[in-house]
């Protein structure tokens, strides 16, 4: 109890699952591109830490739906057992936490906090390829959780074998459970996602419009969601239907926004 109280007193490590409540299995559309990864995710959610899928390593290109799936697993674990300490965190945030803990001499507190998690989900771990000290700190936590049958879920934009810059023994440990790929969404999956999102908001979208948008996003679920959110917002504010004119208008704005970022 004393250690737990100490952890809760360190403001940087106050427990917060950081899960996105909108990214669930219910609105994660299954397709041949993600079927294996999704099925294994459901299995883990039923019995985290107690299957051969530990650690669970998911990889795929940016915008393919990895973050949605790992959030869905976390939410499902939490729903089945509210007492479980489930944590979603980006690799970048963990690196910031580690750097701050070194600066403030609280590294032991950081390790204790992360080792108290029952289901640890880390996104974008490819960002650690040139961060050996961060990786070393995480690896100690990782080993402890695996030994204690706590579930670890890792997501990356590349398979373990392509994580150049990480020590070979670390990569092998990350891949010793189950490695599953989520492929770039095909056009049909993009259409299905768009239709489902519009239906959820009580809006209809003509087939030719969803087909036009699905081609424009070129397999990026992130882009698709951004365009869909804009479409729905415009349609609701203007009390209008989603048509080709609105779709072209929204996509044009979206493209200009991306150009400005570059």
């Amino acid at each position: 109890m004393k250690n737990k109280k100490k952890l809760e007193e360190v403001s940087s490590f106050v427990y917060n699952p950081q899960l996105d409540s909108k990214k669930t299995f219910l609105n994660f559309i299954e397709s041949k591109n993600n079927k294996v990864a999704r099925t294994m995710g459901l299995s883990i959610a039923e019995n985290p830490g107690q299957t051969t899928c530990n650690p669970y390593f998911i990889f795929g290109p940016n915008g393919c739906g990895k973050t949605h799936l790992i959030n869905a697993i976390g939410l499902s674990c939490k729903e089945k057992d509210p007492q479980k300490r489930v944590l979603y965190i980006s690799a970048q945030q963990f690196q910031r936490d580690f750097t701050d803990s070194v600066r403030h001499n609280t590294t032991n507190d950081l390790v204790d906090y992360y080792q108290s998690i029952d289901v640890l989900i880390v996104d974008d771990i490819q960002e650690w390829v040139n961060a050996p000290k961060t990786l070393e700190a995480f690896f100690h936590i990782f080993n402890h959780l695996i030994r204690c049958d706590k579930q670890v879920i890792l997501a990356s934009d590349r398979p373990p074998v392509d994580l150049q810059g990480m020590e070979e023994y670390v990569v092998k440990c990350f891949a010793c459970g189950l490695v599953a790929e989520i492929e770039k969404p095909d056009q049909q999956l993009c259409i299905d996602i768009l239709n489902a999102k519009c239906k959820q908001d009580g809006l209809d979208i003509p087939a030719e419009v969803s087909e036009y948008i699905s081609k424009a996003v070129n397999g990026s679920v992130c882009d698709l969601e951004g365009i869909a959110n804009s479409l729905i917002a415009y349609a609701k504010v203007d009390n209008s239907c989603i048509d080709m004119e609105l779709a072209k208008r929204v996509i044009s704005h979206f493209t200009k926004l991306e150009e400005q970022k570059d």
Side-chain angles (χ1 to χ4, degrees), residues 19-50:
L19 294 164
D20 187 339
S21 61
K22 296 179 181 178
K23 291 180 167 63
T24 69
F25 277 116
L26 289 177
N27 57 23
F28 185 87
I29 308 299
E30 181 181 305
S31 75
K32 62 181 181 180
N33 307 73
N34 59 41
K35 185 175 182 179
V36 172
R38 182 181 184 275
T39 301
M40 293 301 99
L42 284 167
S43 176
I44 289 170
E46 287 293 330
N47 204 7
Q50 306 301 313

Side-chain angles (χ1 to χ4, degrees), residues 97-107:
D97 284 352
F98 171 67
T99 301
D100 288 344
S101 74
V102 172
R103 184 181 299 117
H104 297 111
N105 197 28
T106 58
T107 303

Side-chain angles (χ1 to χ4, degrees), residues 151-189:
Q151 183 68 50
V152 179
I153 300 170
L154 307 172
S156 172
D157 66 358
R158 66 202 72 168
V161 70
D162 288 339
L163 289 170
Q164 305 296 332
M166 288 189 183
E167 294 286 351
E168 184 178 358
Y169 73 91
V170 173
V171 174
K172 285 185 176 180
C173 287
F174 285 173
C176 71
L178 175 70
V179 178
E181 179 180 10
I182 299 183
E183 299 174 7
K184 180 179 178 179
D186 56 22
Q187 186 178 354
Q188 186 56 54
L189 178 56

Side-chain angles (χ1 to χ4, degrees), residues 1 8 17 25 38 40 47 92 106-107 129 136 151 154 163 179 182 190 201 205 209 218 232 234:
M1 291 297 293
E8 298 303 333
F25 277 116
R38 182 181 184 275
M40 293 301 99
N47 204 7
Q92 188 177 65
T106 58
T107 303
V129 294
E136 182 181 1
Q151 183 68 50
L154 307 172
L163 289 170
V179 178
I182 299 183
C190 288
D201 281 83
I205 181 168
V209 175
N218 192 30
I232 292 167
Y234 273 107

Side-chain angles (χ1 to χ4, degrees), residues 1-218:
M1 291 297 293
K2 184 177 180 181
N3 288 339
K4 184 175 181 181
K5 183 178 179 181
K6 182 181 179 183
L7 286 176
E8 298 303 333
E9 287 174 350
V10 180
S11 60
S12 298
F13 306 131
V14 171
Y15 174 62
N16 175 5
Q18 301 187 98
L19 294 164
D20 187 339
S21 61
K22 296 179 181 178
K23 291 180 167 63
T24 69
F25 277 116
L26 289 177
N27 57 23
F28 185 87
I29 308 299
E30 181 181 305
S31 75
K32 62 181 181 180
N33 307 73
N34 59 41
K35 185 175 182 179
V36 172
R38 182 181 184 275
T39 301
M40 293 301 99
L42 284 167
S43 176
I44 289 170
E46 287 293 330
N47 204 7
Q50 306 301 313
T51 71
T52 56
C53 306
N54 196 23
Y56 185 30
F57 191 108
I58 301 173
F59 74 94
N62 291 331
C64 70
K66 300 187 301 294
T67 299
H68 188 146
L69 178 58
I70 59 181
N71 264 274
I73 297 171
L75 287 169
S76 187
C77 289
K78 197 71 175 171
E79 181 181 353
K80 287 176 170 46
D81 185 354
Q83 299 305 311
K84 278 195 179 299
R85 291 168 68 88
V86 181
L87 175 65
Y88 166 89
I89 192 168
S90 68
Q92 188 177 65
Q93 184 179 341
F94 179 86
Q95 188 167 1
R96 285 197 300 267
D97 284 352
F98 171 67
T99 301
D100 288 344
S101 74
V102 172
R103 184 181 299 117
H104 297 111
N105 197 28
T106 58
T107 303
N108 287 339
D109 293 330
L110 175 138
V111 171
D112 288 344
Y113 171 70
Y114 278 95
Q115 288 184 346
S116 75
I117 302 300
D118 297 308
V119 180
L120 179 60
I121 304 167
V122 189
D123 208 352
D124 293 321
I125 66 162
Q126 73 277 356
E127 296 187 12
W128 290 339
V129 294
N130 295 312
K133 291 184 178 179
T134 298
L135 189 58
E136 182 181 1
F138 176 79
F139 192 63
H140 288 302
I141 294 167
F142 170 88
N143 280 332
H144 174 84
L145 295 177
I146 295 296
R147 285 198 304 268
C148 295
D149 292 327
K150 306 299 185 181
Q151 183 68 50
V152 179
I153 300 170
L154 307 172
S156 172
D157 66 358
R158 66 202 72 168
V161 70
D162 288 339
L163 289 170
Q164 305 296 332
M166 288 189 183
E167 294 286 351
E168 184 178 358
Y169 73 91
V170 173
V171 174
K172 285 185 176 180
C173 287
F174 285 173
C176 71
L178 175 70
V179 178
E181 179 180 10
I182 299 183
E183 299 174 7
K184 180 179 178 179
D186 56 22
Q187 186 178 354
Q188 186 56 54
L189 178 56
C190 288
I191 290 173
D192 292 342
I193 292 172
L194 184 59
N195 288 342
K197 192 166 182 62
C198 289
K199 184 178 180 180
Q200 184 179 358
D201 281 83
L203 295 171
D204 294 322
I205 181 168
E208 63 271 16
V209 175
S210 58
E211 182 176 351
Y212 174 78
I213 295 172
S214 68
K215 289 180 179 177
V217 299
N218 192 30

Side-chain angles (χ1 to χ4, degrees), residues 190 193-194 197-198 203 205 209-210 212-235 242-244 246-258:
C190 288
I193 292 172
L194 184 59
K197 192 166 182 62
C198 289
L203 295 171
I205 181 168
V209 175
S210 58
Y212 174 78
I213 295 172
S214 68
K215 289 180 179 177
V217 299
N218 192 30
S220 171
V221 175
C222 293
D223 289 351
L224 183 66
E225 290 183 344
I227 291 172
N229 288 335
S230 297
L231 276 176
I232 292 167
Y234 273 107
I242 296 176
D243 56 19
M244 189 64 77
L246 178 58
K248 289 181 178 180
R249 178 184 173 193
V250 167
I251 290 173
S252 174
H253 293 168
F254 188 86
T255 302
K256 289 177 182 178
L257 180 61
E258 290 300 309

